[in-house]
Structure formats: structure tokens, C-alpha cells
Amino acid sequence: MSRFLSSLLSLALLFSQSLAFVIPNSQLCSNHQSWSLKSSSSDNNAAFEQLSGNRQKAWQHAKKPLLRIGGKGATKTHGNSLRQLLDQHTVVKVKVNPSAFEDNSLLNAFEVLKQLAVDSGANDGMELIHIRTSDKVILFGKEGTLDLIDAGDFPPPPPPPREPKEEEE
């Protein structure tokens, strides 16, 4: 029985250590919905704040990540794929394994992916809409998307319900 308890205790310790992470030069703020990174940079403050209102709607509009970056990091093909996805969609979620980037930072992952996309022909005005650290997901947007979101023009309203056709006799 003591061997079982010792194994269980070591498993619990290992599990708790695997959930811990460190984000240098930043502070974590928590709420009941999710963990978000609170950055001190004025350029990216909106991307790290708690989502509400129109920004929450934009996050929900992009249903799931359309691009995934694994432990080997981002390549030119990832940048090209991101460029193509942003040509087709206004916002794109990207799931990232942050261990492949400097400081295990999702912000560094954004910068690397943005540069790879620009190198493959994307517009330099690509925007960081939001980073959700708990899901390791970055929401990218086309140039001007943040202005549309804040003005309430994105996401577009759903289409009106279809009316059933009347049968002619």
C-alpha cells in the first residue's frame, strides 16, 4: 500500500509541475473564464486584456484553429498558409506549441508567424487580435480588423432566416 501511495504522490507532483509555466517580463491576470496575459506594451495591450463585447464575438466567430504550429516551430510553409487563410478569412485562429519559440512566448510566436507571412507576400499590417494563453491560441486579423471589431462592424450579423416557399396549386 505504501508503494501505491508513493507512486500516486509522485504522479501528482509530476502533473502539477507540467501545468506550471513561466512568462518572463509579464504578469498573469486571472478571472473565472480564462487566463490571459497582461502585457505592459501599449501596442499589444488590447490583445492581452479580457475579452468582452465585440472582441468576444470576434473570438467566437473564428470557430476553431485553422493552422497548427508544432514543437519543431514555424516554417515558410506556415507563413504561406497563414497568408492564404487571411486572404480567405478576416480572422484566423492559430494553435501554437510555444516551446518552439523564444522564451516559450506566444507573443514571440505571433511576431515570427507575422514575419513569415509577410515574407511570403502578406500585407505588413496583419493585426494581433487576441492571445489566449490557456488554449495556446493566437487570433490573427487582416489590416483594419481591430477597427471593424471596435466599431461593431465585425463579425457581420447572421443572415435573416429563410422563409418557406409557398406551394402553387
Side-chain angles (χ1 to χ4, degrees):
M1 184 68 168
S2 119
R3 177 179 256 177
F4 173 74
L5 288 176
S6 128
S7 298
L8 189 61
L9 185 59
S10 63
L11 258 173
L13 181 62
L14 179 66
F15 182 70
S16 67
Q17 288 175 349
S18 68
L19 291 179
F21 55 92
V22 176
I23 302 174
N25 299 326
S26 60
Q27 45 188 320
L28 285 176
C29 63
S30 68
N31 60 46
H32 66 286
Q33 295 174 350
S34 66
W35 286 86
S36 296
L37 183 65
K38 188 81 171 180
S39 172
S40 60
S41 168
S42 62
D43 295 338
N44 294 317
N45 274 346
F48 295 104
E49 292 174 358
Q50 179 183 353
L51 288 177
S52 62
N54 292 334
R55 291 188 187 226
Q56 179 68 26
K57 289 178 186 175
W59 178 268
Q60 292 171 344
H61 179 73
K63 301 290 184 209
K64 61 183 179 179
L66 298 177
L67 184 63
R68 287 167 174 49
I69 310 298
K72 293 183 180 179
T75 63
K76 291 179 184 179
T77 56
H78 288 110
N80 189 39
S81 296
L82 181 59
R83 177 190 58 81
Q84 290 175 345
L85 286 167
L86 281 171
D87 287 344
Q88 297 168 0
H89 305 276
T90 306
V91 293
V92 174
K93 282 183 182 176
V94 179
K95 176 99 172 167
V96 177
N97 182 348
S99 65
F101 297 94
E102 183 181 332
D103 296 332
N104 294 335
S105 169
L106 291 173
L107 187 58
N108 288 339
F110 168 77
E111 295 298 332
V112 169
L113 286 168
K114 179 180 177 181
Q115 187 58 47
L116 288 170
V118 168
D119 291 346
S120 71
N123 187 348
D124 192 30
M126 188 181 306
E127 295 178 338
L128 172 61
I129 308 296
H130 185 68
I131 292 179
R132 182 165 288 175
T133 57
S134 62
D135 296 336
K136 299 175 187 167
V137 174
I138 303 170
L139 184 64
F140 286 82
K142 289 181 180 179
E143 184 175 12
T145 304
L146 278 172
D147 294 333
L148 290 174
I149 291 170
D150 291 338
D153 297 331
F154 184 84
R162 291 180 28 185
E163 295 181 18
K165 292 184 180 180
E166 295 181 21
E167 293 183 28
E168 294 180 24
E169 291 185 32

